[in-house]
Amino acid sequence: MLLSFWVRRHTAEIDEDIADAIADMEAFLYPEIPAIEPRVTVGVPEAATMQPHERLVYWAKS
């Protein structure tokens, strides 16, 4: 499973948030825990680049 994170700045706090999100996803999917790969991209996602199987789950306002 690929979890993509789009951020304005990649910081240690972001890394902690990603670790928390992965732990939450593992707990939600338990007992079947797939391999979870995080991908961090600095910038703003473009809707046109999203694939049909991808979903935007959360958009934080700055």
Side-chain angles (χ1 to χ4, degrees):
M1 174 183 295
L2 175 64
L3 290 181
S4 296
F5 299 87
W6 291 80
V7 299
R8 294 193 188 277
R9 289 181 300 129
H10 192 166
T11 64
E13 183 179 9
I14 294 292
D15 288 336
E16 290 176 18
D17 291 343
I18 290 171
D20 290 344
I22 291 172
D24 289 347
M25 183 65 71
E26 289 173 340
F28 176 74
L29 296 172
Y30 182 83
E32 297 179 26
I33 302 174
I36 299 175
E37 174 189 345
R39 177 176 61 191
V40 179
T41 305
V42 177
V44 177
E46 295 181 23
T49 63
M50 291 186 72
Q51 301 298 316
H53 62 277
E54 296 177 322
R55 300 290 179 266
L56 179 62
V57 177
Y58 179 75
W59 183 283
K61 295 182 179 181
S62 55

